[in-house]
């Protein structure tokens, strides 16, 4: 059955997975924004996925993946992130530009091709944006890190992953110097933004943008006040 799913249906499964991981369920409005479609166009596809036991839809609560849907979602995410690594590692595409191309390429990767691609890439554990690549069994090893917005003023860290992989978001972050492994610490918190020091340069980032950046804490700043 999974093999007969359309490109559109797989995109829905993947989007529901991301939203469910973020907030527990995928609301219609959020799903429409994620997929860049009008809310009224979502109903038929959700009903189709329900008939195949891939999602459960509760009015006013949103859509959640079933166990079957979760397994399929992880397979799609695996193909997507390996496709991103193919683009960066083999074709030398900039990490900022691979997400949209991988969204199309992932649907063309067959079950026979995926393990061969993974082997050719050297069995990578993370995508170019730092997000873990699921194994063939659906397991993911997350690096221990926390959202940038939760970082204390007296902590130093490095960028571990960026969860929103859309080009416009990555371009914005890259313009601030934010990329994988960049050293970062929070210099000051304002009402709607935070002042950061990224790779030795100061910049201002909104809390909305910062929520997509996760950081691995390395140490407390040397000049931090000892309590």
């Amino acid at each position: 059955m999974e093999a007969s799913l359309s490109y559109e249906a797989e995109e829905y499964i993947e989007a529901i997975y991301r939203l469910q991981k973020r907030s527990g369920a995928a609301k219609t409005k959020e799903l429409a924004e994620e997929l860049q479609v009008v809310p009224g166009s979502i109903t038929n596809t959700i009903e189709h996925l329900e008939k195949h036991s891939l999602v459960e839809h509760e009015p006013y609560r949103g859509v959640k993946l079933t166990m079957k849907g979760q397994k399929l979602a992880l397979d799609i995410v695996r193909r997507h992130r390996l496709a991103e690594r193919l683009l960066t590692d083999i074709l030398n595409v900039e990490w900022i530009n691979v997400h949209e191309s991988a969204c199309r390429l992932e649907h063309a990767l067959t079950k026979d091709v995926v393990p061969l691609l993974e082997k050719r890439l050297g069995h990578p554990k993370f995508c170019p944006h730092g997000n873990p690549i699921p194994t063939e069994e659906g397991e993911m090893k997350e690096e221990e890190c926390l959202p940038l917005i939760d970082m204390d003023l007296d902590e130093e860290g490095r960028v571990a992953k960026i969860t929103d992989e859309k080009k416009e978001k990555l371009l914005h972050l890259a313009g601030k110097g934010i990329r994988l492994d960049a050293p970062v610490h929070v210099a000051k918190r304002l009402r709607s933004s935070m002042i950061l020091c990224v790779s030795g340069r100061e910049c201002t980032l909104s809390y909305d943008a910062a929520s997509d950046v996760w950081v691995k804490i390395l140490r407390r700043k040397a000049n931090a006040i000892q309590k």
Side-chain angles (χ1 to χ4, degrees), residues 33-76:
E33 291 174 353
E34 185 78 12
L35 295 166
Q36 297 184 333
V37 298
V38 296
S41 67
I42 289 178
T43 304
N44 289 341
T45 303
I46 294 300
E47 289 178 352
H48 173 69
L49 296 177
E50 276 191 293
K51 289 178 181 177
H52 289 295
S53 303
L54 294 170
V55 302
E56 295 175 344
H57 182 210
E58 294 184 43
Y60 309 108
R61 292 185 177 230
V63 181
K64 289 186 178 182
L65 296 170
T66 62
M67 290 294 291
K68 185 178 180 181
Q70 177 84 1
K71 182 178 179 181
L72 176 57
L74 288 170
D75 178 66
I76 297 169

Side-chain angles (χ1 to χ4, degrees), residues 85-176:
R85 290 299 299 259
L86 167 65
L87 292 166
T88 56
D89 297 10
I90 305 298
L91 302 181
N92 298 317
V93 180
E94 280 287 321
W95 66 284
I96 292 172
N97 300 321
V98 296
H99 175 71
E100 285 75 13
S101 294
C103 281
R104 295 185 287 273
L105 184 56
E106 69 192 45
H107 306 288
L109 296 176
T110 64
K111 290 186 177 181
D112 293 336
V113 168
V114 171
L116 297 176
L117 174 60
E118 185 177 36
K119 181 178 179 181
R120 176 66 178 83
L121 291 169
H123 299 278
K125 304 299 182 186
F126 302 93
C127 81
H129 313 102
N131 297 299
I133 299 173
T135 65
E136 191 173 357
E137 294 75 29
E139 299 175 351
M140 281 199 297
K141 185 177 181 181
E142 295 272 4
E143 187 171 17
E144 186 177 341
C145 54
L146 77 165
L148 177 58
I149 55 175
D150 293 339
M151 193 175 182
D152 290 336
L153 296 179
D154 61 354
E155 292 177 325
E156 294 182 339
R158 66 169 179 81
V159 177
K161 66 179 180 180
I162 301 172
T163 54
D164 188 339
E165 302 179 350
K166 296 185 184 68
K167 184 176 180 178
E168 59 183 23
K169 175 59 71 70
L170 297 179
L171 279 171
H172 176 67
L173 294 174
K176 306 283 187 179

